[in-house]
Amino acid sequence: GGTVWRITDPAGTLIGVAETALVPPPQGAWVALLVIDRAHQRQGYGTAAADLLEAHLFAQPGITRIGMGVLTHNTPALAFWEGRGYTRGLHRRDQHGHDIFTLRRDKAPDDAQVARVRQQFGATAAGYATSVGHARGDELARVAALVAETPPGGRALDVATGAGHTAFAIAPHVAEVVASDVTPEMLLQVEAGTFSRRIDNLTTTVADVHALPFADASFTIVTSRIAPHHFSALPLAVREMTRVLQPGGLLIIVDSVVPEAADLDAFLNHVERLRDPSHVRSLTETEWRQLFEDNHLTILAAERYPHRHPYTDWVERALVPKEEQPALEAAFLAGSAAAQAAFQIEIADGRVVAYTDEKLLIAGRKS
């Protein structure tokens, strides 16, 4: 069900009404109605109401996008919402048979989240450079194989490159690789790895995925591996990665994926946040497929790869403070029977030994 909002003037007189609803991803929230009495229009009430509605909706956990439907002939409403940064999407008919345009606006990137990522990974950069789970893996080999199948002379961008393992893997198959990351300490690890491996076609740049400093259609390949769960505004990040991709170019994402069941989704994202405060959310495969569809990316592959995590190494690599480790382990021990089974949580003598999650590799071609 939705929420109905009364809009009043300073005297408390009812002058308008709005209705909003929280809906399944990827939309997140929906503005079903915002109307101001004609006598009170063009006095700033609509703008003020929209400001309050957006602030409220974006403050809700997990909401990164607001959508709505506007009648195709309602030119003033289209101008109002597009002036607020909403982009026009599909032209379709609603459930009442009316012709509408769907509009959407993504949540702006969170500067505080960028700071959290820099703090977390600046301190742990060296550990990720030597992490076996990041330096190897069947899904990493698959990324390299997909890139190897692209036409020669390609230009690749590896977003949120971390210690550079994906950039290193694809470098032999392209003419140039740009490795970008928001954390300068990580890029120092990339540069050291580039030198030790004698790679001569790789450069680095500090960049935030939500505002990539590259022109449209700059790359034939864009990759991002085991990083998107840290992005504060993932729909915007995917849109940016697609923007810098040439038509016909290849986007390859690898990231932790959660089960479709809401309780298992909540469990895994909860323990991830306890371990690493820069974790935002791992998506379901359904959500990833929708993001690719929203950005006109034709899915070429969607594959899952299990990863077994020795618990102590997993905790130590993130530098979890000792005083916070009991709560993290307690969350695993308190997991439901379904969670224990789904994530193959191994417990010995009352201590967590290991668990398993899955990485999703999803690749799509830009239309």
Side-chain angles (χ1 to χ4, degrees), residues 110-118 229-232 277-280:
D110 181 355
D111 290 340
Q113 172 63 10
V114 172
R116 282 190 291 270
V117 168
R118 283 181 170 155
H229 56 275
H230 295 289
F231 299 163
S232 63
S278 71
H279 178 92
V280 176

Side-chain angles (χ1 to χ4, degrees), residues 126-202:
Y128 281 86
T130 57
S131 167
V132 173
H134 289 77
R136 304 175 191 169
D138 291 342
E139 87 289 347
L140 179 57
R142 177 67 166 139
V143 171
L146 287 169
V147 172
E149 293 171 0
T150 61
R155 185 172 189 240
L157 171 66
D158 187 38
V159 172
T161 191
H165 300 299
T166 302
F168 301 151
I170 66 176
H173 309 298
V174 294
E176 179 188 359
V177 183
V178 177
S180 71
D181 203 281
V182 77
T183 306
E185 292 88 345
M186 280 294 194
L187 294 179
L188 292 176
Q189 297 294 328
V190 179
E191 289 163 9
T194 300
F195 178 79
S196 66
R197 291 169 173 81
R198 301 182 183 275
I199 298 173
D200 61 6
N201 65 337
L202 192 156

